[in-house]
Amino acid sequence: MGKMFFVVPGQPKPKARPRFAKGRVYSPSGKEEKRVAGHIRPQMGHWKICGTFVALKLVFYREDRRKVDLDNLVKLVTDAMNGLVYVDDAQIVDIHAKKEHDSVNPRTEVEIWEK
């Protein structure tokens, strides 16, 4: 199997941290994960990595230079692809990620291949 390449248009957003309220812990809405998965799903066809390890290259083109943690950007995308592109994100053994600036065309570029 070769490499797959996906583009998710729009401002890359970080994974929201768990919140605490009334003595309970809860996760904020998964709306952004669903948006990312919704852009990837039509680009992948019937392709899915099942029983092997995977490597990822992620480039986040942000429209602003606001301070955002790279690991939280990565976490949102890997969680959105969980069960969709691969069976479990535990299959990921190699990640290359970086942030870039593009005020005209913010997006996330995802390249994934079997390792």
Side-chain angles (χ1 to χ4, degrees):
M1 169 165 311
K3 294 182 179 184
M4 285 294 295
F5 182 78
F6 309 115
V7 176
V8 179
Q11 174 80 325
K13 294 183 181 173
K15 172 102 177 182
R17 290 187 236 152
R19 304 287 184 216
F20 302 90
K22 298 181 183 178
R24 303 182 99 187
V25 178
Y26 70 96
S27 294
S29 168
K31 186 170 73 171
E32 189 61 22
E33 280 179 39
K34 290 175 186 168
R35 185 189 77 79
V36 170
H39 283 286
I40 290 174
R41 187 173 288 112
Q43 296 179 63
M44 62 181 282
H46 298 290
W47 189 81
K48 186 174 187 177
I49 298 174
C50 292
T52 59
F53 296 114
V54 298
L56 291 172
K57 179 182 176 187
L58 303 166
V59 183
F60 301 95
Y61 293 90
R62 296 197 28 98
E63 64 188 3
D64 58 25
R65 296 185 188 275
R66 190 173 58 103
K67 186 177 171 183
V68 178
D69 288 350
L70 181 61
D71 60 333
N72 291 334
L73 292 169
V74 170
K75 183 67 175 157
L76 186 119
V77 173
T78 57
D79 284 356
M81 293 191 305
N82 206 22
L84 178 64
V85 176
Y86 40 74
V87 176
D88 191 301
D89 55 7
Q91 291 173 258
I92 301 169
V93 295
D94 191 2
I95 297 176
H96 299 269
K98 67 179 181 175
K99 295 184 290 187
E100 296 285 344
H101 179 254
D102 187 340
S103 60
V104 176
N105 184 23
R107 66 197 178 280
T108 301
E109 294 181 352
V110 180
E111 191 172 0
I112 184 168
W113 62 96
E114 290 180 339
K115 190 82 170 161

